[in-house]
Amino acid sequence: MAKVYDYIVVGSGITGLAVASALSKITENVALIEASDQIGGYNKKVKTPAGEINNGLRLIPASSSGEKALTFLSDLIEQDVIENSFTGFPMTYESGQLKEFLGFGEHSPAFY
């Protein structure tokens, strides 16, 4: 016999997890469908020429508002979203290689 769900959420990325978590507070009859063998969507480690990186949340400012946002998300999906924290150095891609970004020189943009 086929099961009928109140809601079906496709994808277990951060958005899918947040929606499924919120819906599960209304009804227990929620299905979360994921094509991969792990939850998190694109939030997983990938290999790059610069080494292995976590392809999930990144570029979150080290500020009180950034910390509050991550705490809110962790509480919403009932899962820790911060695996590690680090400050990376800017890189550019030139002639088939990643190189250290040296700056804009004489022609820096107004925001810099």
Side-chain angles (χ1 to χ4, degrees), residues 7-27 30-44 56-57 72-82:
Y7 299 96
I8 297 175
V9 179
V10 178
S12 69
I14 291 190
T15 303
L17 291 172
V19 169
S21 177
L23 290 171
S24 70
K25 291 176 173 58
I26 300 169
T27 177
V30 177
L32 177 62
I33 299 173
E34 171 57 45
S36 177
D37 60 350
Q38 65 182 21
I39 64 168
Y42 288 112
N43 188 22
K44 58 186 169 191
L57 289 174
F72 170 78
L73 181 60
S74 290
D75 292 345
L76 181 66
I77 64 174
E78 298 174 355
Q79 182 175 340
D80 190 17
V81 296
I82 303 172

Side-chain angles (χ1 to χ4, degrees), residues 72-109:
F72 170 78
L73 181 60
S74 290
D75 292 345
L76 181 66
I77 64 174
E78 298 174 355
Q79 182 175 340
D80 190 17
V81 296
I82 303 172
E83 182 177 304
N84 57 26
S85 175
F86 71 95
T87 300
F89 298 100
M91 303 287 284
T92 74
Y93 189 76
E94 181 182 324
S95 302
Q97 296 180 2
L98 287 169
K99 297 182 178 180
E100 183 181 347
F101 178 69
L102 299 176
F104 294 105
E106 299 288 322
H107 307 289
S108 63

Side-chain angles (χ1 to χ4, degrees), residues 47-80:
K47 292 182 182 181
T48 71
E52 192 174 76
I53 61 168
N54 188 332
N55 191 33
L57 289 174
R58 55 193 176 277
L59 304 174
I60 306 295
S63 64
S64 63
S65 62
E67 185 176 328
K68 286 178 185 176
L70 291 175
T71 300
F72 170 78
L73 181 60
S74 290
D75 292 345
L76 181 66
I77 64 174
E78 298 174 355
Q79 182 175 340
D80 190 17

